[in-house]
Amino acid sequence: MSFTLPSIRLGFSPSAVAGPSRLRSFSTSQVHSVSKRKLIAKRRKAANLELQASKVIKPESIDPVLGRVNYRAPSSRTLLAQAQAQSSATGTSASGSATLPPKPENEWDNSKLKGVLLNYDEIAYSPPPNYNQGERPNHLLPGISKADEDLLFGALPHISTELSYSTSNNRSGNGSEIAVEEEQNKQSEMLMRILDLRNSSKSAVNVLNRQRVIDAFGQGKDTGSSRVQAALLTSKIHNLLSHTVQNPKDTSNKRSLRLLVQERARHLKYFKRTNAKEDYDQLLADLGLERGAVEGELKFAF
């Protein structure tokens, strides 16, 4: 005997049974089109970066002490490629050989500061002036101005000669006058030899250089501006650098040299922030410095 169970109807369909949630994309554009745009943007960015890298020449070394940026000379292959590109642009034939570009000039050699500073070795070993022909020393000790020089070696000997001759007993003879004039010339020559900078020490030359820098960059009065301070620090750096080159084991002065370079960088940064771009570039040219060597992080080789 078989019995059939009545069918029970549920209140929901099998499709309405809860299951694992599926990820849905809420982007309004298609997936393939988004990937294609990104790929094109990446290619364009890579092409632009490659073009910029070909135009910008990376420096081989940077010397923050002397303020120089040294660039690596381009290879013959690079020069030949540039010549071919230029010939294709102008329509001329490119030669098979490429010539190296001229070596860049040293900014320090053409700077204003180098013309102001005096070199102790050049002064100490220079030939003395010919006093018999009326020559005078090129440089005198610090503290003697041009007016003092004219007074000591110009008017004062003539006045002393006239006074000595007027008080002499024999006024009618010319021999006494000549003798007095020769005596005054000898005294003048002796005074020139004493006041000549050739007989001074290196510290006296540094004192005179400091005054010359203040006269050139601060009109003889300004000593606290960033322009004058940067010039004074640059002169100290060159003076101390020659000592460290001759004494490579002097670590104390090497540390002092690094401190001077960093202090100069702070003054230049302040001058750049408070003055026009043209004034800043002119100051760097006067000091014999380059932008890439005094801006940013300073890395020393010692």
Side-chain angles (χ1 to χ4, degrees), residues 66 68 105-117 217 234 238 282-289:
L66 296 177
R68 299 177 188 173
E105 297 182 358
N106 188 0
E107 298 289 340
W108 172 252
D109 294 336
N110 303 324
S111 63
K112 176 182 177 181
L113 182 61
K114 184 179 180 181
V116 171
L117 297 178
F217 289 86
T234 304
H238 282 273
Q282 184 62 39
L283 177 60
L284 292 181
D286 292 341
L287 300 181
L289 305 175

Side-chain angles (χ1 to χ4, degrees), residues 178-189:
I178 297 175
V180 170
E181 187 174 357
E182 291 179 354
E183 183 65 23
Q184 292 300 325
N185 291 334
K186 289 181 180 180
Q187 294 179 4
S188 229
E189 178 181 346

Side-chain angles (χ1 to χ4, degrees), residues 114-133:
K114 184 179 180 181
V116 171
L117 297 178
L118 300 176
N119 191 354
Y120 172 76
D121 295 332
E122 294 179 358
I123 293 176
Y125 298 103
S126 61
N130 191 351
Y131 298 104
N132 296 328
Q133 295 182 1

